[in-house]
Amino acid sequence: MTVEVLGTIFTFVGGLGMFLYGMNVMADGLQKSAGGKMKQLMGILTRNRLLAVLVGALVTAIIQSSSATTVMVVGFVNAGIVNLTQAVGVIMGANVGTTITGWLVSMNEWGAIFKPSFFAPLLIGIGAFVIMFSKKEKRKDVGEILIGFGVLFIGLDFMSNAIKPYSDSPIFSNAFAVLGKNPILAILAGAVITAIIQSSSASVGILQTLAMNGVVGWNSAVFITLGQNIGTCVTALLSSAGANKTAKRAAVIHLMFNVVGAVIFGVLMFVIFTFNPSFANSSINSVEISIFHTIFNITNTVVLFPFANLLVKLSGLIIDDSKPETNDEEDITLMHLDDRILETPSFAVENAVKESINLGKIALKNTETAIQAFLQNDVEKANEVFKNEKLIDKYEKKITEYLVKITNLSINEKQHFLVNDLFYTISNIERVGDHAENLAELAVSKIDHNIWFSDAAYKELDEICNVVLQSFENAILARETENIEYVRKVVKLEDQVDALEEELRDSHIERLSRNECDSETGVIFMDALVNLERISDHSLNIANYVRDEL
């Protein structure tokens, strides 16, 4: 191998690397700038299938990867956030959204002003200045998008320049002639290359780069493109390996959708090429590849959209999930924190918020149970509290690990602030769980020593317990709704708890002084007040984190 050939390979590989890196940087910038809008998209996902198609297209256009979108969908299905019918819509939309990259690549042939060598360096320069000198986070996100855009196009320019000297080489013409005459071989080639590099956008970009140099014919390009759409399914299939059967069905639906589309279009184009050989052997350019890629994916979505339920049923024949894999509430709860959702950081943040709220609701229910156990001397409820506390501790650890992973993703400044607040929020929720456990232990102690409070003491405890529960419930609602009114309620309720705690402490001391209760009973009563007051304090902390974000 000569130095010249080696240099060409290095240039092409370097160009491909810059293309992939630029696409990744641009996608990160787009995701961070989209930020809060992703929360709205997540809500749309659960409405209807048509909206799910639009969400799938939009999310894929933002993150520049249909593979990442589909992997994320597998994660959503595995976590039980969306059902299979909704997942079909997102998968179909992802195929439409991935055509955006092809149009970006084809800008090379729109005119001289759009060529990478003309404006890409300017974009990188502007983006670098914006990132270095701008203090606003949103402007820095725009700078990141510009740099990614510029690097992407310079990478394309590198690849094109590497291939250009060999555009007349018989290697290319012979290879594409063979692929053009063998549709199945061409489809396999497109599928294998895409599966290897794990990106249909990148493989289509490579094909378009070859097309810019006039070495690709219509027949080979069409069948390779169909194969690329099949190859992109491999990522989701691999991702579903560790998922439940329903998530595996989502990955299989993605494969069936693209295979059925490839078969329909493959047969149609084979007939057209057979009756028009001159058209089949004519050169195709990058714009024409973009047009075909777009028409294929949109038509495939329109044709198969009415048969979404049939695809779901067929996936059930391939992957039998009629038998539930788990009924364990703990497994189901922890399953929601699916790493596949990390493919889309903004969705991962919203998922972490959702699961933090779920943790809060579990802790709230456990606190109610602990109070009942304490007031009613109910040992069964106390044991239920001990069991749930173990779940809360495990869940808190799992969410913390998930949040750590999110901090290493591309999220904007507001999302970073939210994630930091979530760390403190789940810590406070876990501490509420600890205090609920303390109340259950006090209940056991009362039962063991046959301790019962006076009617006056029970009435006082019942009053402060109700206010404490209201405080914690409103704190969770504040986190869930981000409504300042709930924060204000928590502040007001916390003041009531503090006043009641002081009042009840004084009245109990008076009962002790009048010998209306013994010292052992008094200690348990005081310990209960301390734990109740601490729960209210943690509720206020949670509400304050929400207030700081508003």
Side-chain angles (χ1 to χ4, degrees), residues 50-75:
L50 180 59
L51 288 173
V53 172
L54 299 176
V55 170
L58 186 57
V59 170
T60 305
I62 291 172
I63 67 178
Q64 293 289 294
S65 174
S66 61
S67 298
T69 302
T70 310
V71 168
M72 177 197 71
V73 170
V74 169

Side-chain angles (χ1 to χ4, degrees), residues 505-525:
R505 185 182 295 274
D506 291 342
S507 63
H508 195 69
I509 290 172
E510 287 180 13
R511 281 195 293 271
L512 285 169
S513 65
R514 293 194 300 266
N515 292 320
E516 293 178 7
C517 64
D518 56 39
S519 59
E520 187 176 16
T521 304
V523 169
I524 291 177
F525 186 93

Side-chain angles (χ1 to χ4, degrees), residues 90-111:
V90 181
I91 290 167
M92 290 179 174
N95 279 30
V96 175
T98 196
T99 60
I100 296 296
T101 307
W103 284 107
L104 291 176
V105 173
S106 65
M107 285 175 66
N108 281 277
E109 297 186 1
W110 293 5

Side-chain angles (χ1 to χ4, degrees), residues 150-187:
V151 172
L152 181 154
F153 276 94
I154 288 179
L156 281 172
D157 202 32
F158 270 47
M159 287 194 288
S160 182
N161 290 335
I163 294 169
K164 193 173 292 181
Y166 302 95
S167 58
D168 296 327
S169 172
I171 296 175
F172 285 114
S173 57
N174 292 338
F176 283 109
V178 170
L179 292 174
K181 292 176 182 177
N182 298 272
I184 295 177
L185 184 62
I187 289 172

Side-chain angles (χ1 to χ4, degrees), residues 6 9 72 83 108 167 175 192 225-226 243 314 368 411 429 458:
L6 197 61
I9 294 172
M72 177 197 71
N83 60 39
N108 281 277
S167 58
V192 170
T225 302
L226 294 177
L314 287 174
E368 291 175 348
I411 53 178
I429 290 173
Y458 272 120

Side-chain angles (χ1 to χ4, degrees), residues 314-487:
L314 287 174
S315 70
L317 296 176
I318 298 171
I319 306 291
D320 182 16
D321 67 344
S322 56
K323 295 180 181 179
E325 294 175 281
T326 177
N327 287 319
D328 191 326
E329 182 182 348
E330 179 179 328
D331 290 341
I332 293 170
T333 301
L334 297 178
M335 184 177 66
H336 289 179
L337 299 168
D338 196 300
D339 284 352
R340 296 169 188 82
I341 300 173
L342 296 171
E343 290 283 342
T344 314
S346 294
F347 280 118
V349 171
E350 293 307 320
N351 194 40
V353 172
K354 180 175 178 289
E355 296 312 318
S356 298
I357 293 165
N358 286 343
L359 176 62
K361 290 177 179 178
I362 293 170
L364 175 62
K365 184 178 178 182
N366 211 39
T367 304
E368 291 175 348
T369 305
I371 287 172
Q372 290 170 2
F374 179 72
L375 293 178
Q376 299 167 12
N377 284 19
D378 191 326
V379 70
E380 289 185 6
K381 289 186 183 298
N383 289 331
E384 185 181 339
V385 171
F386 299 142
K387 179 183 175 182
N388 289 335
E389 173 57 19
K390 291 179 181 178
L391 173 62
I392 291 170
D393 287 342
K394 187 173 183 179
Y395 199 12
E396 187 259 350
K397 181 181 177 183
K398 193 76 174 178
I399 297 176
T400 300
E401 291 171 353
Y402 199 73
L403 290 172
V404 169
K405 293 174 184 176
I406 292 175
T407 57
N408 295 318
L409 302 177
S410 294
I411 53 178
N412 59 35
E413 190 175 22
K414 184 177 180 181
Q415 289 169 327
H416 266 296
F417 189 72
L418 173 57
V419 169
N420 286 337
D421 281 352
L422 289 178
F423 275 113
Y424 295 118
T425 296
I426 61 170
S427 176
N428 277 273
I429 290 173
E430 192 275 333
R431 291 296 297 139
V432 169
D434 289 343
H435 291 299
E437 185 180 37
N438 292 344
L439 288 172
E441 289 172 351
L442 290 173
V444 172
S445 181
K446 281 178 67 188
I447 295 166
D448 289 344
H449 296 88
N450 195 28
I451 294 173
W452 294 89
F453 296 131
S454 65
D455 290 341
Y458 272 120
K459 185 177 180 180
E460 292 171 350
L461 282 170
D462 187 57
E463 182 180 7
I464 191 171
C465 285
N466 285 332
V467 179
V468 167
L469 286 173
Q470 287 180 50
S471 177
F472 189 39
E473 183 179 14
N474 278 278
I476 302 303
L477 286 170
R479 176 70 280 167
E480 185 173 14
T481 63
E482 296 182 348
N483 188 331
I484 193 66
E485 288 303 316
Y486 288 116
V487 176

Side-chain angles (χ1 to χ4, degrees), residues 190-210:
V192 170
I193 292 171
T194 304
I196 290 171
I197 62 179
Q198 298 273 295
S199 172
S200 62
S201 297
S203 60
V204 170
I206 294 171
L207 183 64
Q208 288 180 293
T209 303
L210 292 167

